[in-house]
Amino acid sequence: MQAIVNYNNTKRELEIAQIRLENLLDKKDLLHSKYFSITSKPSEAGVRVNSFKDKYAQFMIEYTKIDKDTGMSLEQELNIQKKYVNKLNDTLDKMTKILMDLQGLEYDLYSYIVVKNNNITKSVEKVAELYDCSLGKVWNCYNKKIKKLLKM
């Protein structure tokens, strides 16, 4: 059962990391639009620039400027977060493969519900058929163990 808890935790950690990455990308987009927006006026950008090179230079200065709170530039934060999301994706893929190979009623039931994203009732029926046991036994397993894990 610990494998299931670890899988759930990693899945949630990935979701949080992806949200953080989206926020950083939004920050970059806002910064980019500050200097390269078609509708912006030079005064909105805060700097009067006449050429693309000047705009690009100003953008890069801000993009690579170290933030006093994080100790990193937006560029560094984005690179680190992208690597982190990729690592979590790889880890989750490996865990999914391992989980799918695990045996036992609990693991199979969890795999059908979470990994294969099947309906709970259909998953219970499939596992009961797979293990040649009663639906009640599988529902009992779901109610005692799996249901709690799904709410975590």
Side-chain angles (χ1 to χ4, degrees):
M1 289 304 284
Q2 187 61 37
I4 293 173
V5 172
N6 290 340
Y7 181 85
N8 278 344
N9 291 342
T10 304
K11 194 172 183 181
R12 284 184 179 82
E13 190 174 346
L14 174 61
E15 291 167 0
I16 292 167
Q18 287 172 328
I19 290 168
R20 174 72 178 138
L21 179 59
E22 288 171 17
N23 288 339
L24 290 170
L25 289 170
D26 288 345
K27 258 177 123 172
K28 182 183 176 187
D29 289 344
L30 284 171
L31 182 62
H32 188 271
S33 66
K34 177 179 174 181
Y35 291 100
F36 301 107
S37 176
I38 296 171
T39 60
S40 72
K41 299 173 188 169
S43 61
E44 287 177 354
V47 183
R48 293 201 178 266
V49 288
N50 296 326
S51 71
F52 177 78
K53 286 183 181 180
D54 290 339
K55 287 181 181 181
Y56 184 75
Q58 288 296 321
F59 168 77
M60 287 307 294
I61 288 169
E62 263 193 78
Y63 183 55
T64 57
K65 182 181 176 185
I66 303 295
D67 183 280
K68 64 180 178 184
D69 294 330
T70 63
M72 293 183 279
S73 68
L74 179 56
E75 178 184 37
Q76 291 169 323
E77 282 187 87
L78 265 170
N79 289 334
I80 289 169
Q81 197 66 23
K82 284 177 185 176
K83 287 177 186 175
Y84 185 58
V85 166
N86 288 337
K87 184 176 181 170
L88 284 173
N89 266 321
D90 291 344
T91 302
L92 199 59
D93 288 345
K94 289 175 187 174
M95 291 174 87
T96 299
K97 288 176 186 172
I98 291 168
L99 187 60
M100 295 303 292
D101 290 338
L102 292 173
Q103 298 298 313
L105 192 138
E106 295 166 353
Y107 289 110
D108 285 332
L109 183 56
Y110 182 83
S111 295
Y112 280 110
I113 295 169
V114 176
V115 180
K116 293 181 181 178
N117 208 20
N118 288 338
N119 174 300
I120 294 171
T121 303
K122 288 183 181 182
S123 298
V124 167
E125 291 170 356
K126 180 75 175 169
V127 170
E129 181 182 316
L130 186 67
Y131 284 88
D132 194 29
C133 62
S134 71
L135 288 173
K137 180 179 179 180
V138 181
W139 274 113
N140 191 27
C141 171
Y142 169 78
N143 287 323
K144 283 186 177 178
K145 297 180 181 177
I146 307 298
K147 191 174 188 178
K148 293 174 193 170
L149 293 170
L150 295 176
K151 289 183 180 180
M152 291 177 78

